[in-house]
Amino acid sequence: MAGALSGFTVDVLFYPIDTIKTRLQSSQGFLAAGGFKGVYRGIGSTALGSAPGASIFFVTYERMKSKISKELPDIFGESGSFGPPGLHMVSASIAEVAACMIRVPTEVVKSRQQTSTYGSKTTTFQAFRTVFKESGIRGYYRGFAGTVGREIPFTCIQFPLYENLKLQMSRSSLFGNDKVSKEGKSQAQLVRELPTWQAGLAGSVAGAIAAGLTTPLDVVKTRIMLHRLPPGVNTKILPTLRHIAKNEGAKALFSGFVPRTLWIGFGGAVFLGTFDAGVKVLDG
């Protein structure tokens, strides 16, 4: 429930920034893709898919953290060879793959509406139906590998950094947490007791850094999802990456860098902060 609330809140709240980012990354160009007009176009698919996608992510992530640390303490325990960072990378990567089963169809429909691929007055249902007519069920998963290829590096940067920032904050005099009793408490307990606004701040910093570094992969993912022709150069990760760099220059790989970084930076505070608050409320 906490994951569903956080996913829905952040996706709807920051949707216009996501639309601008997608249009900047489109091969047809920002203005041809719609410019600043109709920035809420396609929000229906996001509203339907964001809650279950985020819910699956957090349920899987929290479950994997607990199970992997218990099953492989010598590798992923607090004093294991890979330690907490490795645990967070593996858990978040598994969670991202699970969430992409819902996230990718949502993003395919959303990105095509955002760039008016089927016309500026096409409804979410019409776009959903058109994707099926063109490519069948496989059409909804156009860009699945590209999305996973973006999400895993992103999450391997974001979540270890997020979890570490929370841990450092829980011990920091800068945030006044050094005066809180820590006797007999584990790292997980210290992090869980961190004030929600601090968890949100950690999520914002971690999200912005991860978003900026993985922008080229996001550009590739967007191009693949918008591609409507038979399989070719714009349907695979590495060929698409090389094609963009060769024909449009390296600068094109960072199209939408500013809105993506702002969106996920501010969104990270809302997304992870809302999740943290939701868990605390539901836990009583």
Side-chain angles (χ1 to χ4, degrees):
M1 289 178 66
L5 176 63
S6 66
F8 180 82
T9 301
V10 73
D11 283 347
V12 172
L13 186 62
F14 294 101
Y15 191 82
I17 303 178
D18 179 48
T19 298
I20 292 171
K21 182 269 301 182
T22 301
R23 290 174 179 176
L24 285 167
Q25 294 176 345
S26 170
S27 60
Q28 66 193 101
F30 178 67
L31 293 178
F36 291 102
K37 297 179 180 178
V39 292
Y40 281 97
R41 190 177 300 146
I43 195 172
S45 61
T46 294
L48 289 173
S50 60
S55 181
I56 288 174
F57 173 83
F58 279 113
V59 167
T60 307
Y61 177 63
E62 294 294 339
R63 176 60 177 160
M64 287 297 101
K65 277 201 305 181
S66 175
K67 188 167 183 62
I68 292 173
S69 62
K70 288 179 181 178
E71 295 291 335
L72 301 168
D74 293 338
I75 300 175
F76 295 109
E78 290 189 7
S79 58
S81 52
F82 286 98
L87 173 65
H88 300 143
M89 286 183 185
V90 172
S91 300
S93 295
I94 294 172
E96 287 290 2
V97 174
C100 280
M101 297 303 296
I102 289 179
R103 185 181 299 154
V104 171
T106 298
E107 289 210 12
V108 168
V109 174
K110 176 198 74 173
S111 61
R112 294 187 181 188
Q113 284 189 274
Q114 287 175 325
T115 55
S116 303
T117 301
Y118 303 129
S120 60
K121 296 184 179 181
T122 304
T123 65
T124 296
F125 179 73
Q126 290 172 331
F128 183 86
R129 189 171 56 183
T130 303
V131 172
F132 183 78
K133 285 182 178 179
E134 288 183 345
S135 309
I137 295 295
R138 292 182 63 183
Y140 297 121
Y141 288 92
R142 169 70 54 91
F144 182 85
T147 304
V148 171
R150 175 199 68 178
E151 294 294 359
I152 288 181
F154 174 85
T155 206
C156 282
I157 296 170
Q158 182 189 34
F159 273 85
L161 183 56
Y162 167 63
E163 299 282 7
N164 185 259
L165 283 172
K166 288 197 297 180
L167 181 59
Q168 297 306 317
M169 285 180 173
S170 71
R171 299 167 170 169
S172 174
S173 59
L174 179 64
F175 295 94
N177 296 320
D178 58 322
K179 299 175 183 178
V180 178
S181 175
K182 299 175 177 58
E183 186 177 350
K185 294 180 180 178
S186 66
Q187 291 184 4
Q189 288 175 309
L190 290 175
V191 167
R192 182 63 69 194
E193 294 174 0
L194 195 70
T196 294
W197 74 268
Q198 293 181 26
L201 177 60
S204 179
V205 173
I209 293 172
L213 293 175
T214 57
T215 296
L217 295 174
D218 188 53
V219 172
V220 169
K221 184 274 302 181
T222 299
R223 294 291 182 90
I224 292 173
M225 284 187 169
L226 292 175
H227 192 74
R228 297 174 61 191
L229 300 176
V233 70
N234 287 322
T235 59
K236 296 181 180 179
I237 301 173
L238 291 179
T240 303
L241 188 67
R242 288 195 295 265
H243 179 77
I244 296 172
K246 180 180 179 181
N247 294 281
E248 301 176 47
K251 184 178 179 181
L253 291 171
F254 285 90
S255 298
F257 176 87
V258 173
R260 173 172 164 77
T261 302
L262 288 174
W263 166 45
I264 298 182
F266 289 121
V270 176
F271 184 61
L272 295 170
T274 301
F275 174 71
D276 182 80
V279 168
K280 290 174 179 174
V281 170
L282 293 169
D283 275 348

